[in-house]
Amino acid sequence: MAERLAAVMAPGHEPASGFVAETQNNSGQALLNSITQMMAFAQSYLGGLDQTEQAYGAQETSGSQTFQNGMR
């Protein structure tokens, strides 16, 4: 929907139509930029969660092995 908003064409060739279309295009582009930034943030956040999960799993495995070795 944001892409459609960024591509609004003026219905007529008078100043009012051009002004409205330009305003809509600017709003649509700003919305697209916001969506792109939020997607980048979300991808970065998910990447960090994946790294944390892997580190936690490695520590859990190491701790389990240490515990099992101490039981022998």
Side-chain angles (χ1 to χ4, degrees):
M1 305 256 332
E3 290 171 344
R4 289 175 53 193
L5 186 60
V8 169
M9 294 180 65
H13 295 289
E14 75 281 348
S17 291
F19 173 75
V20 171
E22 182 180 352
T23 300
Q24 295 301 308
N25 290 338
N26 290 341
S27 294
Q29 191 59 51
L31 180 57
L32 283 172
N33 292 344
S34 294
I35 291 169
T36 301
Q37 289 175 354
M38 186 54 78
M39 288 175 59
F41 169 79
Q43 290 296 327
S44 175
Y45 185 77
L46 288 173
L49 289 176
D50 285 340
Q51 289 177 351
T52 300
E53 180 184 29
Q54 291 173 6
Y56 178 80
Q59 289 177 347
E60 186 70 20
T61 300
S62 175
S64 294
Q65 290 173 350
T66 300
F67 178 76
Q68 289 172 358
N69 288 340
M71 296 293 290
R72 293 184 193 169

